[in-house]
Amino acid sequence: MASEKFVIPIGPQHPALKEPGHFEFNVDGEIVTDASVRLGYVHRGIEKGAETRNFVQAEYLVERICGICSHVHATAFCLGVERLAGVEAPPRAQAIRQIVAELERIHSHLLWVGVAAHEAGFDTLFMYTWRDRETVMNLLEGITGNRVNYSANVLGGVKCDIGPEQAEAIQIGLNFLEERTRHYLEVVSSDAMFLRRTRGIGVMTREDAERMGVVGPTARASGVPRDVRIDAPYLLYAEHPVELVIEEAGDLEARFKVRVRELFESYRVIRELLTALPEGELTARIPRRIKPAETISRVEAPRGELFYFIKSNGTDSAERVKVRTPTLPNMASVLALSVGHQLADVPMILAGIDPCFSCNDRMAVVKRNGDEQVWTWEQLRQYGIEYYR
Amino acid sequence: METDTCLQKAAELLAPWAQETIEPEPGRVDVAVAPGDLVAAARALMDARWGYLTAITGLDPGEEDGRLEALYHFACGAAIVTLRVRVPRTRPAVPSLIDVIPSVSFYERELMEMFGIVVEGTPNTDRLFLPEDWPDGIYPLRKDFRMEQLGG
């Protein structure tokens, strides 16, 4: 019997985060000896769908690949299609795209800190970070009208401007968040109980990280200097750059520190962009049909390099849209890192790469008792309070 | 500047296997290689520590073309090198890169299930994204795929 494998299935429902994925862990007692994964529970055939829709429709479609980093998907797609068409978005549009992208990173990293803290059993930190995250969600809603799927992009530019009032609201929000972030950095690097769940856990050496091709904060926490914003600047990242945030330890603690420290860079670059916001148009005209060509568009999503390959064929829709999200290379590292760890550390190791899951954040009632209604934010909030009373 | 040096170095490394080399846009080089040379070409890049494999794109140029394509994109800073492998539609097969790039498994599993390109020697041939009850021999990202093929 001793030689027989004992397999623990985890998932497909919410193995760690609220994302479906099915893992099988072979264990020897409490220690993981092998791991495998089955994905696709939220596979929606978007690459195929993008081939049968025109470029404008496809942009809305790809924005829905992810509920957390929707903006960065649309940005990668728009930059690619614009390059194929030989069109460049006006400077003001690029600045606004970058501001929204960094606000999105703030919301994503704060969300992650909360989720990962929850996996570690530190629910106080989870609740505080998610409370503070509302600040940036409100800022995003103020600019675009939406909390998720902001839909700030259109092909050729953006559809929302940032006026003086919004700029001021953003500054105030960032001041509050910066102060809170200083506190979180102290917590994740000094809380003794928390460090027992993160320090020396899930260690990935720089060599491993490079061999496995991991991207984003997961790579940077292992000392790999890899950030598309710096390596291949797009939007206005050449004129308004971010500094590379890197840690050497390669454990969960390092992954916390990298993401929290990156927040300061996001705050700084947003402020810089707000004070130097270029004047001018928000959109450039883009042709409906695009001559046959192929392009590659890469951007730094909150979770790392997001890769788009787009092929046009002379019509108004794409011949092929290939998307490689950062979670795919990073997921491979989870399987490798789990081996040798306690089974109880697995959820933290999985959470450590910040796997990207679709989220559905908001309920909207459009028809009730047969009457069509439009609700204000206050009414919706009140409805939420009554509903859960 | 730096990007151009990177691309030049890659072109030199890949020269022994290159059937055709084009520069489709700034910062990119597209090198066509024979399926049999794919592993050697990838190994040349990896041994020289030239970047990392960022994605594999499957492409179906249409039935009349008679071929399928697999595009292996390597990134080094802002430079991207694509190894383009063309295989006959009647017997589409490429060798696995698992000995050169241990993390390639997911990408190869996706290429297999979406395009029906056989990846010879890959350690795990299970489906990654498609459901268990997906019919065998039906590849959704091929151009001739029709929803009716799924029955029901």
Side-chain angles (χ1 to χ4, degrees):
Chain A
M1 286 299 281
S3 63
E4 208 167 291
K5 279 195 305 188
F6 195 85
V7 181
I8 298 200
I10 298 183
Q13 305 304 332
H14 307 171
L17 300 101
K18 308 296 171 278
E19 172 196 42
H22 179 73
F23 295 82
E24 282 188 4
F25 292 96
N26 294 351
V27 291
D28 179 7
E30 285 291 317
I31 305 296
V32 177
T33 57
D34 196 13
S36 66
V37 68
R38 181 78 167 73
L39 301 170
Y41 295 93
V42 282
H43 195 270
R44 291 148 287 173
I46 284 180
E47 288 184 20
K48 189 76 179 176
E51 290 174 11
T52 57
R53 288 163 173 81
N54 67 39
F55 287 108
V56 175
Q57 294 168 324
E59 191 235 314
Y60 285 87
L61 186 63
V62 299
E63 185 156 24
R64 275 147 187 82
I65 288 175
C66 177
I68 304 274
C69 51
S70 60
H71 175 74
V72 83
H73 275 277
T75 303
F77 183 78
C78 287
L79 287 173
V81 174
E82 286 161 13
R83 201 173 308 135
L84 287 172
V87 172
E88 198 168 332
R92 191 176 179 88
Q94 304 213 27
I96 291 170
R97 279 178 179 175
Q98 188 170 333
I99 290 171
V100 175
E102 291 304 322
L103 287 170
E104 180 176 73
R105 190 180 320 278
I106 295 167
H107 118 67
S108 179
H109 279 10
L110 285 174
L111 178 135
W112 176 81
V113 171
V115 170
H118 169 72
E119 294 302 335
F122 195 173
D123 275 347
T124 316
L125 182 58
F126 159 54
M127 288 179 191
Y128 273 121
T129 48
W130 278 44
R131 180 199 67 178
D132 296 343
R133 175 175 162 268
E134 285 302 306
T135 306
V136 69
M137 300 302 281
N138 287 340
L139 294 178
L140 283 162
E141 183 176 24
I143 299 170
T144 65
N146 298 307
R147 276 164 62 90
V148 290
N149 297 133
Y150 322 110
S151 199
N153 280 301
V154 285
L155 292 172
V158 290
K159 64 177 83 148
C160 50
D161 202 359
I162 294 180
E165 260 177 48
Q166 275 158 341
E168 202 194 326
I170 295 171
Q171 298 280 15
I172 294 168
L174 293 188
N175 290 344
F176 168 74
L177 288 171
E178 190 162 29
E179 193 191 318
R180 296 297 304 164
T181 306
R182 270 196 286 273
H183 173 61
Y184 295 137
L185 185 58
E186 196 190 324
V187 170
V188 301
S189 38
S190 69
D191 185 280
M193 293 300 283
F194 192 57
L195 287 177
R196 290 195 64 172
R197 296 300 310 274
T198 61
R199 188 167 285 174
I201 306 288
V203 178
M204 178 162 43
T205 63
R206 178 169 177 171
E207 204 187 1
D208 285 341
E210 285 182 344
R211 194 173 50 87
M212 289 192 268
V214 295
V215 293
T218 308
R220 295 194 284 276
S222 289
V224 180
R226 194 174 283 173
D227 187 327
V228 183
R229 293 175 293 173
I230 295 157
D231 301 337
Y234 52 98
L235 300 179
L236 299 184
Y237 283 109
E239 293 84 352
H240 301 281
V242 288
E243 293 239 352
L244 186 72
V245 175
I246 200 158
E247 291 277 339
E248 302 294 332
D251 58 0
L252 278 169
E253 185 191 359
R255 279 165 227 156
F256 269 94
K257 281 187 182 164
V258 161
R259 290 198 180 88
V260 175
R261 285 176 51 210
E262 276 184 12
L263 291 171
F264 294 111
E265 274 305 297
S266 296
Y267 302 146
R268 191 188 54 71
V269 83
I270 293 170
R271 287 200 184 102
E272 198 179 301
L273 283 162
L274 285 175
T275 51
L277 204 58
E279 294 295 329
E281 295 292 314
L282 291 179
T283 52
R285 280 192 69 84
I286 187 159
R288 209 161 61 83
R289 294 172 197 284
I290 298 179
K291 61 183 189 317
E294 293 176 357
T295 195
I296 286 172
S297 175
R298 294 191 300 154
V299 296
E300 186 73 14
R303 286 151 193 80
E305 178 196 48
L306 172 66
F307 174 101
Y308 268 71
F309 170 93
I310 307 167
K311 181 174 180 169
S312 51
N313 57 8
T315 68
D316 63 355
S317 55
E319 174 78 10
R320 172 89 170 99
V321 178
K322 159 77 188 172
V323 184
R324 200 273 290 139
T325 63
T327 297
L328 199 56
N330 288 345
M331 188 62 84
S333 75
V334 172
L335 302 184
L337 292 180
S338 299
V339 173
H341 275 90
Q342 300 263 346
L343 188 63
D345 284 328
V346 165
M348 276 291 275
I349 292 172
L350 174 59
I353 67 159
D354 192 8
C356 188
F357 52 89
S358 317
C359 81
N360 208 344
D361 221 331
R362 176 70 99 50
M363 186 187 78
V365 177
V366 287
K367 251 185 188 178
R368 200 157 161 258
N369 305 329
D371 299 325
E372 284 187 37
Q373 295 184 358
V374 177
W375 283 15
T376 64
W377 171 238
E378 194 45 49
Q379 284 172 315
L380 191 63
R381 190 172 158 271
Q382 204 54 45
Y383 178 81
I385 292 168
E386 292 297 330
Y387 185 86
Y388 287 106
R389 194 182 285 279
Chain B
M1 265 283 279
E2 204 186 319
T3 306
D4 291 341
T5 326
C6 265
L7 289 174
Q8 207 177 343
K9 193 178 165 203
E12 282 165 23
L13 288 167
L14 296 169
W17 304 281
Q19 294 176 327
E20 185 193 7
T21 303
I22 55 165
E23 288 176 36
E25 54 187 346
R28 275 181 62 204
V29 167
D30 197 311
V31 182
V33 298
D37 293 335
L38 174 66
V39 177
R43 196 185 294 278
L45 289 177
M46 290 296 102
D47 284 351
R49 296 192 144 258
W50 198 97
Y52 61 101
L53 177 71
T54 178
I56 302 176
T57 301
L59 263 186
D60 180 0
E63 239 170 318
E64 59 283 6
D65 184 83
R67 293 178 297 185
L68 293 171
E69 298 181 11
L71 277 50
Y72 296 73
H73 310 285
F74 294 81
C76 177
I80 297 177
V81 163
T82 300
L83 297 179
R84 187 178 293 257
V85 181
R86 295 190 173 92
V87 292
R89 224 184 156 84
T90 45
R91 202 184 159 277
V94 293
S96 172
L97 289 182
I98 195 77
D99 292 334
V100 187
I101 303 163
S103 58
V104 77
S105 173
F106 282 175
Y107 301 154
E108 292 183 337
R109 282 166 75 181
E110 186 179 3
L111 182 69
M112 283 188 285
E113 65 184 351
M114 295 298 173
F115 285 91
I117 295 178
V118 178
V119 182
E120 289 167 343
T122 196
N124 188 340
T125 55
D126 291 350
R127 284 185 182 138
L128 182 65
F129 292 115
L130 293 180
E132 300 295 347
D133 58 357
W134 187 272
D136 287 335
I138 305 289
Y139 306 111
L141 284 182
R142 285 203 190 177
K143 288 292 178 189
D144 53 5
F145 168 79
R146 296 286 170 271
M147 284 301 281
E148 298 76 54
Q149 289 176 295
L150 298 181

